[in-house]
């Protein structure tokens, strides 16, 4: 299933590029706004961090949701 495959790739990328355990060396980048992107949840309208958002591939585009509840709500409305 393609979506599952996408999730696995994203998860691996997340693990590779976001080493939570490392500390110190790059403290400078902590205070500035990094390359992370805010994306809008189309259901409740709030902005969420792209990395932490629930992702859904829908009609060729990737949608981002703040929670699985919002994603499910979206799917309910677009059956
Ligand atoms: Zn939401």
């Amino acid at each position: 299933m393609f979506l599952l495959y996408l999730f696995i790739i994203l998860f691996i990328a997340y693990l590779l590029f976001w080493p939570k355990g490392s500390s110190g060396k790059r403290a400078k980048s902590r205070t500035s706004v990094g390359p992370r992107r805010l994306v809008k949840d189309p259901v409740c309208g709030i902005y969420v961090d792209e990395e932490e958002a629930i992702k859904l591939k829908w009609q060729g585009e990737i949608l981002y949701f703040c929670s699985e509840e919002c994603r499910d709500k979206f799917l309910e409305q677009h059956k």
Side-chain angles (χ1 to χ4, degrees), residues 41 44 66-67 70:
D41 179 327
C44 64
C66 69
S67 63
C70 279

Side-chain angles (χ1 to χ4, degrees), residues 54-56 65 67-75:
I54 305 289
K55 297 168 187 73
L56 172 72
F65 300 92
S67 63
E68 287 176 10
E69 283 79 15
C70 279
R71 182 198 58 193
D72 292 345
K73 219 179 270 180
F74 181 87
L75 288 172

Side-chain angles (χ1 to χ4, degrees), residues 16-36:
L16 287 176
F17 297 112
W18 200 257
K20 274 181 184 164
S22 71
S23 61
K25 276 188 178 179
R26 303 182 69 186
K28 204 175 123 190
S29 64
R30 288 185 80 121
T31 47
S32 64
V33 179
R36 305 181 94 188

Side-chain angles (χ1 to χ4, degrees), residues 50-62:
E50 188 183 16
E51 296 284 334
E52 287 157 21
I54 305 289
K55 297 168 187 73
L56 172 72
K57 191 152 192 254
W58 186 76
Q59 292 191 354
E61 35 180 338
I62 305 218

